[in-house]
Amino acid sequence: LAKTTQPISMDSYEGQEVNITCSHNNIATNDYITWYQQFPSQGPRFIIQGYKTKVTNEVASLFIPADRKSSTLSLPRVSLSDTAVYYCLVGSNTGKLIFGQGTTLQVKP
Amino acid sequence: DTGVSQDPRHKITKRGQNVTFRCDPISEHNRLYWYRQTLGQGPEFLTYFQNEAQLEKSRLLSDRFSAERPKGSFSTLEIQRTEQGDSAMYLCASSSWPSRGVTEAFFGQGTRLTVV
């Protein structure tokens, strides 16, 4: 499974757009890119998944360049409640999910 | 609530005791996953099932750990002869495979184990 690298932590302020980039240089042809969010003492929650180009849902956008060696999760106009750990996962949809250490996002007022 | 349910939410046990956790997945989901998470780390894969078949078990998992999903519905995770290093949050997740569109795993709230 492709290894991912993402920043350990990020700070932002309410109302700002936050972009979290994940590197996955060894991504395989059949791998998807998936992001999860986790609050303290809760299980991770699915945010978004994509294979290439751009995916948008009601929560976030996911930008994937043509070489797919990286991806960027974009959270528009964050609020204090977006303070959480964000995980980038890369793998096929046929098996297990492998989590890295994630990015701890701290949103300040 | 039709989400993934885990029981108990908290468990304190003495070193050397056996513990068993239960996970009830979303009813129509055929895949079920177990993860372990310690403070400051991402969830660590333990094992997963498709229906009643255990498809993969982490090589990091010692023989003291065993998981079952006898009827392809709920699952149990047992830890024998617990050690202090087993203290962690144990997370269960379920998903439907194959799926149209995105493959999304739904996680339970977890069982927090403390071994004293």
Side-chain angles (χ1 to χ4, degrees):
Chain A
L1 296 174
K3 181 182 168 74
T4 60
T5 303
Q6 51 184 123
I8 296 295
S9 64
M10 293 181 69
D11 288 341
S12 182
Y13 291 92
E14 282 192 291
Q16 288 188 332
E17 177 184 76
V18 171
N19 296 310
I20 307 175
T21 296
C22 178
S23 297
H24 28 81
N25 292 317
N26 297 321
I27 189 169
T29 303
N30 59 346
D31 284 345
Y32 284 75
I33 300 155
T34 312
W35 287 79
Y36 281 78
Q37 174 193 56
Q38 187 177 28
F39 299 113
S41 299
Q42 293 188 24
R45 184 175 72 105
F46 173 93
I47 300 176
I48 197 166
Q49 184 180 77
Y51 183 80
K52 61 181 179 180
T53 62
K54 177 184 174 182
V55 179
T56 297
N57 61 22
E58 64 277 6
V59 176
S61 295
L62 178 59
F63 298 92
I64 306 167
D67 67 5
R68 303 200 328 123
K69 293 183 183 298
S70 67
S71 59
T72 299
L73 174 72
S74 181
L75 304 172
R77 298 179 300 281
V78 294
S79 64
L80 295 176
S81 62
D82 292 316
T83 293
V85 180
Y86 292 83
Y87 296 98
C88 167
L89 285 71
V90 173
S92 74
N93 281 336
T94 61
K96 61 194 179 190
L97 307 174
I98 299 296
F99 289 80
Q101 198 164 4
T103 297
T104 299
L105 172 65
Q106 179 70 50
V107 179
K108 302 175 182 178
Chain B
D1 183 14
T2 57
V4 177
S5 176
Q6 292 188 245
D7 183 69
R9 292 292 309 280
H10 303 273
K11 178 71 176 179
I12 300 174
T13 190
K14 292 184 177 180
R15 190 177 52 177
Q17 298 293 306
N18 299 342
V19 294
T20 299
F21 309 142
R22 176 179 171 122
C23 172
D24 286 273
I26 292 172
S27 58
E28 62 267 28
H29 285 178
N30 55 355
R31 288 212 166 166
L32 186 148
Y33 309 79
W34 284 100
Y35 287 82
R36 175 174 62 189
Q37 186 173 27
T38 54
L39 197 62
Q41 302 298 313
E44 175 190 20
F45 170 78
L46 295 179
T47 188
Y48 85 101
F49 295 83
Q50 180 160 315
N51 299 313
E52 65 275 9
Q54 189 172 20
L55 295 188
E56 187 171 348
K57 184 176 177 179
S58 170
R59 286 174 292 177
L60 301 175
L61 210 58
S62 79
D63 291 341
R64 297 184 297 107
F65 287 72
S66 63
E68 294 184 339
R69 195 183 183 198
K71 298 182 180 179
S73 55
F74 74 92
S75 175
T76 57
L77 176 68
E78 181 183 18
I79 308 174
Q80 296 181 329
R81 304 180 303 281
T82 53
E83 302 171 356
Q84 287 190 322
D86 296 331
S87 295
M89 175 76 84
Y90 289 84
L91 293 163
C92 176
S94 70
S95 69
S96 180
W97 187 86
S99 64
R100 289 186 176 182
V102 300
T103 297
E104 178 179 351
F106 294 81
F107 283 80
Q109 298 270 51
T111 293
R112 183 167 294 285
L113 173 67
T114 302
V115 181
V116 298

